[in-house]
Amino acid sequence: MKRFSAVLMMTALVNTAQGETNTPFDIKGTSLSELMSLKITSLSKKKQQLNRAPAAVYVLSSDEIQRMGVTHIAEALRFVPGVEVAKVDSSRWAIGIRGFTSRASNKLLVMIDGRSIYSPFFSGVLWEEKDVVLADVDRIEVIRGPGGAVWGANAVNGIINIISKNSSKTVGTLVEGKVTSEQNGMIQARQGWKVSTDSYLRFYVKQRERSDTGHDVTNDDSLHRQAGFRFDHNFDPKTSLTLQGDIYRGEIGSMNTTEQPAGQKQHGGNFLMNWSHSATSDRRHGFQAFYDATDLEVTGLQDRRNTLDVSYQVQQNWSQNELVVGAGYRRVRDDVDTMFISPEHRTNETFNAFFQNDLALMKDLHFIFGTKYEDNDYTGSEWQPNVRLSYFVWDSLLWTSWSKAVRVPTRLETDITIPGLNGDKFTSEEATVYEFGWRKRWSTMLQTDITLYQSDYDSLLSLELDGIRNKLAGRTRGVEISASIQPMKEWLLRINMSHAEMDLDADHDSFDFSDSESQEDGMPQNMAQLSSLLDIAEDWQLNAYLRYVDSIETNNIESYMVGDLSLVWKINDSLTANLTGKNIGDGSHEEWTSGVPVDDEYGLSLKWEMP
């Protein structure tokens, strides 16, 4: 019935298109020069140009995301170098950076507009319960490597920050629907208004539905519904306020069945306030607060969680310095109803403070240093320092860094009561990371980006006879290469490749030998992606994507190479059609779970947008 309503809406959109006059695309945000000029904020909590950012940074622009024809954040992340994205089943994902990928990738910090969606219960992100209207996403900033000096604990191997558009850019009506050959559907609508000269507002609703995998996997169908808003107001040219929030409800499979995988239900909501004020041209204040409530239910466990987070920062520029200083407080109160977690209720508090200074030793030679201090209820004090050096010369940015980051224990690891799994002596996992990067603009048609890294891990989680301990250590080494080529104005190619090797060992007194081997063999050593974005006519786009992922021996997953295609037709000023084909070329392959195939899938989406 829900799919029928989506098809009905799409038919209505086609009818709306009849009689309209064809107009050319308004292509923005995909040319090479525009991509390199993008301003990012996730690296240092200040605006800086992408081609001058001394880190392994990759940005997916709004235009790129729209061309892909994807309906979920996870699908968009498939084409970021060094990011491993795998479908666990029809509705769940495993996403990680530089190894340790799993459903609970505990060394990856993910945010939406600066609001952390990392779960302190099990350490990780439940991607199936996190969603946005992708048409309202301004960009996705992905930083491979640690970010603990600015963002704190758990930003060990990478940061993903999904940044939505200011509501002044979404005035008007948007209705979009998509159906696919795999019985999946999505429908979303957004309405934006100009409330006053300086105020803008938008509301949205979205529903996403996926059928089960089929074959022998029949309990992973899902339904997710979400609604939200964003309000932006400029008090004056120097002061702005953003209020935004979302509510959602979803379920996967059935809870009342013995079929696998087990079902789950989730619902929740959040509210965020962001205020900024530029006191002078050299001083800028920022204050952010958010409240997040989540309720997750799986067989034998219900986790209700309420998070309050407030933070303040000020950026002060003087002489050759750009200093960012901040402090924050987070309070998490939970109610965990299960037989194997005690106590049932717990309230945790975290206090933090940080500074990051960018010192221009010369015009193009910068020394960046800083640290973040956190005091949490699990491990007490944690310091996460960071030092970077960058030099911009001959249209090249050379940079190197040394960083320390930690992953603090979770509620599940600390308070589990199952004999042999108790984690009351488990402490933080630590990483010391060395990176070297070279970003070169060869011409207006070619730019390359290379990063070499080594992450030395210490005190990693191990399973001992007396419970969870910290008796694994080792290192990961790798190289990440990306190239952006624009042979002509209408054609952009992006090529990404990554190679990584992991070597972990257990302490001499450890009884955990299987974990080190399973972690080493649990990551694909090689990954590669090729994206081709081509405007074949004024109102036609042909986009092609090819990706290769190496084998994952721990999960008994073979390597695979598949392609995606997207044909976009801008029918008129208001209506756009996108015909997509995904996972083409390797038949029914597996990505994460042995016995759970990922089939090729063809879909059609229609988007109607009126200013």
Side-chain angles (χ1 to χ4, degrees), residues 418-490:
I418 297 176
L421 290 177
N422 183 271
D424 58 349
K425 296 180 181 178
F426 180 60
T427 61
S428 292
E429 296 181 317
E430 301 176 356
T432 303
V433 184
Y434 308 89
E435 296 176 286
F436 173 78
W438 178 37
R439 187 176 299 126
K440 170 70 174 176
R441 182 181 181 183
W442 299 92
S443 69
T444 57
M445 297 188 299
L446 174 63
Q447 170 148 336
T448 56
D449 195 346
I450 301 174
T451 302
L452 303 171
Y453 68 90
Q454 175 174 308
S455 301
D456 293 338
Y457 298 99
D458 196 12
S459 303
L460 294 178
L461 183 149
S462 65
L463 295 176
E464 309 296 337
L465 296 179
D466 56 347
I468 301 174
R469 299 292 181 267
N470 301 79
K471 296 189 176 182
L472 292 185
R475 66 181 44 166
T476 301
R477 291 173 174 165
V479 57
E480 297 154 345
I481 303 173
S482 62
S484 299
I485 308 166
Q486 191 164 21
M488 58 183 72
K489 180 182 177 182
E490 299 82 6

Side-chain angles (χ1 to χ4, degrees), residues 155-175:
V156 178
N157 284 352
I159 301 164
I160 297 173
N161 195 5
I162 300 135
I163 299 172
S164 64
K165 295 177 180 175
N166 189 293
S167 53
S168 64
K169 298 180 179 178
T170 55
V171 174
T173 305
L174 177 145
V175 181

Side-chain angles (χ1 to χ4, degrees), residues 33-162:
S33 59
E34 287 172 324
L35 283 171
M36 293 305 107
S37 300
L38 286 173
K39 296 287 184 65
I40 65 168
T41 57
S42 300
L43 179 61
S44 303
K45 287 195 173 183
K46 65 174 184 178
K47 289 185 179 179
Q48 58 189 135
Q49 199 164 306
L50 174 60
N51 66 350
R52 295 291 189 109
V57 185
Y58 198 88
V59 176
L60 284 175
S61 69
S62 173
D63 185 70
E64 281 184 284
I65 297 168
Q66 290 302 301
R67 286 169 181 258
M68 291 174 178
V70 296
T71 59
H72 192 269
I73 304 164
E75 297 176 355
L77 293 172
R78 284 185 181 277
F79 297 94
V80 178
V83 178
E84 182 187 358
V85 179
K87 290 194 72 170
V88 174
D89 57 35
S90 174
S91 304
R92 302 175 174 92
W93 299 82
I95 298 178
I97 293 178
R98 296 181 177 178
F100 301 98
T101 299
S102 71
R103 274 270 287 159
S105 295
N106 55 29
K107 297 173 183 61
L108 175 65
L109 182 66
V110 184
M111 298 175 287
I112 299 176
D113 290 320
R115 173 176 60 86
S116 173
I117 57 175
Y118 182 98
S119 170
F121 172 64
F122 71 97
S123 72
V125 174
L126 289 177
W127 290 94
E128 62 271 17
E129 70 171 19
K130 310 301 179 187
D131 206 353
V132 295
V133 174
L134 288 171
D136 293 343
V137 172
D138 186 73
R139 63 191 184 278
I140 301 177
E141 297 180 359
V142 179
I143 298 174
R144 305 180 305 275
V150 172
W151 296 105
N154 311 321
V156 178
N157 284 352
I159 301 164
I160 297 173
N161 195 5
I162 300 135

